Amino acid sequence: MTKFPSSLTSPKAGCQGCQQSEPLGFDFSFAYQPIVDLRDQSVFAHEALVRGVKGEGALTVLDQVTEDNRYRFDQLCRTRAIEGAADLNMQTHLSINFMPNAVYRPELCIRSTLEAAKKHRFPIDRLIFETLESEHVDNYRHLTNILREYREFGFKTAIDDFGAGYSGLNLLADFQPDLIKLDMALIRNVDQDRVRQAIVRGIVTICAELDVTVIAEGIESAGERDFLADCGIFLMQGYWFAKPAFKALAQVSPEAWTR
């Protein structure tokens, strides 16, 4: 997932940012990376990852985001990701990263997203909004309020990088999203590390009781894939399956399922 600079995490009071946000002064585009389902070798979703207009890395864009323009940036990320998905005739879920501290009142700030979905005929129930667990340790109430509001609108919700910060279990106790994405640091070489294996199994057991679906991201080997599948994780994302494709839907190689 795209990481947002820590300087952008202090919330403003009120909702004036919705009307007073500064113009961006820069442009950006998206790459899309598939999230696969091992059970039927299908693509469950594509995550929209911000890129420069020529495919430059995310930081070339995010380094230009400030506290003054973050609201406009967050809004444009949503609408452009939906527009791009519609242009590509995406038939899967679309996962969009959002910045909780650019959302002042969820019921108002979501309007442009709803309008974009309607305009481009992208079903609301195929939209997933995901945010980082690790960046919101001091802001549970604001984050959980946004997630609850989004669920009421019919969106799916996801917590990314689960296990990367210190707030994951507390956040999960307060709100149970539709999905959590295990941090890639837990995934790396998990098939060879019994400590990581125990942690992953524990998270899977907890999420099964809470009816939360687990996604493993950052898969880079068949060993990681196979261990996680044995744990009951079937939704996966990573270079093993496909790299992000700039303004395109990446194709998963048949070898990714078997080799």
Side-chain angles (χ1 to χ4, degrees), residues 71-90:
Y71 172 78
R72 187 177 296 275
F73 175 70
D74 185 69
Q75 292 289 299
L76 284 174
C77 277
R78 299 157 181 253
T79 57
R80 289 188 180 181
I82 293 170
E83 179 181 8
D87 287 346
L88 294 169
N89 194 30
M90 186 182 295

Side-chain angles (χ1 to χ4, degrees), residues 1 98-100 129-133 136 143 147 158-160:
M1 170 174 172
F98 77 95
M99 303 169 68
F129 280 99
E130 64 174 86
T131 191
L132 291 177
E133 168 252 313
H136 308 289
L143 177 56
L147 294 172
I159 303 299
D160 194 17

Side-chain angles (χ1 to χ4, degrees), residues 32-235:
Y32 296 89
Q33 186 177 27
I35 299 170
V36 305
D37 189 332
L38 260 63
R39 289 169 293 191
D40 58 4
Q41 299 184 2
S42 65
V43 175
F44 166 74
H46 289 84
E47 181 179 1
L49 300 164
V50 69
R51 295 289 186 267
V53 293
K54 296 182 179 179
E56 301 93 334
L59 285 180
T60 65
V61 176
L62 297 177
D63 284 347
Q64 300 180 73
V65 181
T66 67
E67 191 159 332
D68 291 327
N69 65 23
R70 67 179 178 185
Y71 172 78
R72 187 177 296 275
F73 175 70
D74 185 69
Q75 292 289 299
L76 284 174
C77 277
R78 299 157 181 253
T79 57
R80 289 188 180 181
I82 293 170
E83 179 181 8
D87 287 346
L88 294 169
N89 194 30
M90 186 182 295
Q91 299 299 309
T92 67
H93 289 81
L94 169 64
S95 188
I96 303 173
N97 303 300
F98 77 95
M99 303 169 68
N101 293 298
V103 179
Y104 304 106
R105 292 179 57 188
E107 72 278 13
L108 297 179
C109 296
I110 201 64
R111 286 179 178 175
S112 63
T113 306
L114 294 170
E115 290 170 359
K118 181 178 180 180
K119 176 182 178 181
H120 298 290
R121 299 181 179 180
F122 199 95
I124 287 176
D125 61 3
R126 285 205 271 118
L127 289 176
I128 303 169
F129 280 99
E130 64 174 86
T131 191
L132 291 177
E133 168 252 313
S134 56
E135 290 187 356
H136 308 289
V137 176
D138 299 320
N139 210 6
Y140 289 131
R141 290 186 180 179
H142 183 58
L143 177 56
T144 56
N145 180 53
I146 294 169
L147 294 172
R148 287 191 179 96
E149 289 275 357
Y150 282 9
R151 176 172 285 171
E152 288 185 12
F153 279 113
F155 305 126
K156 288 183 171 61
T157 58
I159 303 299
D160 194 17
D161 284 4
F162 191 87
Y166 302 99
S167 60
L169 291 178
N170 286 331
L171 180 57
L172 193 59
D174 291 336
F175 178 81
Q176 296 76 52
D178 298 287
L179 306 140
I180 66 165
K181 298 178 77 173
L182 293 182
D183 181 59
M184 62 178 63
L186 278 176
I187 299 305
R188 189 61 57 245
N189 298 318
V190 67
D191 54 311
Q192 305 169 38
D193 187 325
R194 71 177 187 85
V195 175
R196 284 179 169 78
Q197 291 173 7
I199 293 171
V200 168
R201 288 192 186 103
I203 293 173
V204 170
T205 299
I206 292 170
C207 287
E209 289 213 19
L210 297 177
D211 197 26
V212 176
T213 300
V214 178
I215 299 174
E217 62 180 342
I219 308 299
E220 293 186 356
S221 73
E224 293 169 352
R225 176 200 65 194
D226 294 343
F227 170 79
L228 294 164
D230 288 342
C231 288
I233 300 175
F234 301 105
L235 298 183

Side-chain angles (χ1 to χ4, degrees), residues 241-258:
F241 299 100
K243 294 182 178 180
F246 184 57
K247 294 184 178 181
L249 302 182
Q251 299 299 309
V252 179
S253 167
E255 294 183 350
W257 310 112
T258 58

